[in-house]
């Protein structure tokens, strides 16, 4: 048996994790600063019952989603290449939710795309217009119905060789979609004990065909944007960012300054009003310290 091995962290518990190596899945201890999606190097130890691993190092991450609050930050998943934002007519997905994830993905070096789920339901013109705004920004949109397996093949094809996390409001269809794509029945991450219900944040990475990876982690789904800097926020609104370079003053607040190109493009209708409002809200909102 090789004493040193490398592998992928596929499951995460409160004080241990499971690492997939070429030959087997190994339960590991010493998981400080390790998250699901990390590539780690292990030292193997054989105790009386089983082989276990001790994580001795991790490989550099291509990306990581992190929870940032004030000056504190904590990674929640590593090496994600794409965020699939589920948008649905019911429950209604707010543009704020979509924009929050676009900003989060862009600031984390992750490619965002939209999954327009529940295409079997009626879509109002309002809803269609909302999606059109993102399409105009050049964001990939895949229309499907997870429940009825309509067009899920297009998504599977798109996800080849990618590592994705699905985000969406409760009820948007994340579990249904993950089940359809992985062929596994995804249960909610709840553990109950006899004192009542207990929740644990167990993250899992599903591998399909050795190519596609799907990370399912409750911690990833509710990342706050409060830790992002003003620069990260404007860069997440790509069209606003590009305009802002032509504002007369380099410290333009894009609200009331003379020669503001952002305001000018907003009045022209070239910048969407909802996008602009969300940008100001994220940047100046009271929860944005
Ligand atoms: N009509 C319709 N309902 C769907 C679709 N996908 C999921 N649902 C339903 O939406 C509800 C919430 O789905 P679920 O996967 O639990 O959402 P989650 O909270 O994001 O994990 C369930 O009742 C699903 O059956 C769809 O494509 N069309
Ligand atoms: Mg669910
Ligand atoms: Zn400006």
């Amino acid at each position: 048996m090789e004493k040193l091995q490398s592998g992928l962290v596929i499951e995460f518990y409160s004080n241990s994790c499971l690492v997939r190596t070429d030959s087997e899945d190994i339960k590991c201890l010493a998981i400080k600063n390790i998250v699901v999606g990390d590539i780690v190097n292990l030292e193997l130890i054989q105790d009386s019952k089983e082989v276990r691993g001790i994580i001795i190092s991790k490989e550099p991450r291509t990306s990581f989603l992190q929870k940032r609050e004030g000056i504190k930050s904590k990674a929640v998943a590593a090496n994600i290449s794409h965020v699939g934002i589920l948008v649905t007519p019911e429950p209604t997905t707010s543009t704020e939710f979509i924009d929050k994830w676009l900003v989060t993905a862009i600031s984390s070096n992750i490619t965002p795309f939209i999954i327009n789920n529940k295409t079997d339901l009626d879509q109002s013109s309002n809803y269609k217009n909302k999606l059109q705004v993102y399409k105009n920004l050049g964001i990939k949109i895949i229309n499907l119905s997870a429940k009825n397996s309509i067009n899920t093949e297009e998504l599977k094809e798109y996800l080849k060789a990618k590592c994705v996390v699905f985000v969406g409001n409760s009820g948007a269809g994340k579990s249904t979609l993950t089940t359809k794509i992985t062929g596994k029945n995804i249960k909610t991450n709840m553990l109950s004990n006899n004192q009542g219900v207990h929740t644990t944040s167990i993250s899992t990475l599903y591998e399909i065909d050795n190519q596609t990876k799907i990370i399912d982690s409750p911690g990833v789904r509710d990342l706050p944007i409060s830790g992002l800097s003003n620069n990260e926020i404007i860069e997440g609104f790509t069209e606003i960012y590009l305009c802002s370079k032509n504002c007369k003053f380099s410290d333009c607040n894009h609200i009331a300054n003379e020669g503001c190109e952002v305001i000018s493009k907003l009045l022209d209708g070239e910048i969407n009003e909802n996008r602009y409002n969300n940008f100001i809200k994220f940047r100046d909102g009271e929860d944005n310290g």
Side-chain angles (χ1 to χ4, degrees):
M1 186 174 61
E2 284 284 326
K3 273 237 153 135
L4 280 177
Q5 287 207 5
S6 74
L8 172 67
V9 178
I10 58 166
E11 267 175 52
F12 210 82
Y13 309 95
S14 56
N15 57 8
S16 66
C17 67
L18 199 63
V19 174
R20 176 155 295 169
T21 70
D22 284 342
S23 51
E24 60 189 322
D25 293 349
I26 297 170
K27 200 173 165 190
C28 290
L29 304 170
I31 56 169
K32 204 164 174 264
N33 301 323
I34 301 293
V35 289
V36 72
D38 265 325
I39 309 278
V40 294
N41 300 305
L42 310 175
E43 194 172 318
L44 300 186
I45 46 168
Q46 171 84 58
D47 68 16
S48 56
K49 288 194 290 280
E50 54 178 359
V51 176
R52 286 191 297 169
I54 296 175
I55 294 173
I56 48 176
S57 63
K58 67 168 180 286
E59 295 298 320
R61 295 163 172 162
T62 58
S63 75
F64 58 103
L65 279 174
Q66 55 180 335
K67 213 158 231 163
R68 296 204 299 201
E69 267 153 343
I71 52 162
K72 278 197 246 165
S73 67
K74 185 173 176 285
V76 289
N79 300 319
I80 291 170
S81 65
H82 288 66
V83 174
I85 307 166
L86 275 82
V87 178
T88 53
E90 184 55 51
T92 310
T93 313
S94 66
T95 61
E96 213 174 306
F97 184 89
I98 301 170
D99 288 337
K100 173 194 142 159
W101 275 103
L102 293 178
V103 171
T104 301
I106 292 167
S107 72
S108 313
N109 192 30
I110 295 173
T111 305
F113 69 103
I114 287 176
I115 298 168
N116 172 26
N117 187 30
K118 310 199 186 183
T119 52
D120 57 303
L121 300 182
D122 279 342
Q123 301 194 340
S124 66
S125 55
N126 241 345
Y127 182 79
K128 287 181 188 152
N129 291 340
K130 174 157 65 184
L131 285 174
Q132 190 62 40
V133 169
Y134 295 98
K135 202 170 175 186
N136 293 345
L137 292 173
I139 291 164
K140 166 95 178 163
I141 299 182
I142 297 179
N143 306 299
L144 55 78
S145 165
K147 186 168 134 189
N148 302 323
S149 299
I150 299 167
N151 213 30
T152 45
E153 286 306 312
E154 183 188 346
L155 177 64
K156 272 193 177 175
E157 197 55 40
Y158 179 69
L159 293 181
K160 283 221 166 106
K162 298 181 171 124
C163 178
V164 69
V165 60
F166 297 134
V167 297
N169 297 127
S170 171
K174 298 176 295 293
S175 302
T176 310
L177 188 62
T178 308
T179 300
K180 284 283 151 84
I181 302 284
T182 60
K184 291 186 184 115
N185 193 16
I186 312 302
K187 298 191 198 79
T188 45
N189 294 315
M190 292 261 214
L191 291 182
S192 40
N193 61 15
N194 43 20
Q195 273 94 26
V197 180
H198 227 263
T199 46
T200 49
S201 308
I202 298 175
S203 319
T204 306
L205 184 152
Y206 301 95
E207 278 185 296
I208 321 165
D209 310 332
N210 277 326
Q211 285 188 322
T212 299
K213 300 185 183 96
I214 299 177
I215 288 184
D216 185 31
S217 160
V220 168
R221 286 190 216 119
D222 61 341
L223 295 180
I225 50 163
S226 59
L228 297 184
S229 69
N230 285 353
N231 274 342
E232 285 171 308
I233 288 170
I234 195 166
E235 283 169 20
F237 287 85
T238 317
E239 77 284 26
I240 296 177
Y241 179 58
L242 290 175
C243 274
S244 73
K245 294 182 172 179
N246 295 322
C247 292
K248 185 170 173 188
F249 301 110
S250 62
D251 63 347
C252 183
N253 66 6
H254 316 306
I255 295 175
N257 288 158
E258 186 201 326
C260 176
E261 185 70 5
V262 173
I263 292 294
S264 156
K265 287 285 177 341
L266 174 69
L267 296 175
D268 281 359
E270 272 185 56
I271 288 179
N272 174 269
E273 202 179 329
N274 266 321
R275 290 274 295 166
Y276 175 79
N277 289 339
N278 286 341
F279 160 60
I280 297 294
K281 197 168 185 174
F282 292 179
R283 191 193 65 180
D284 300 347
E286 60 258 43
D287 63 334
N288 183 23

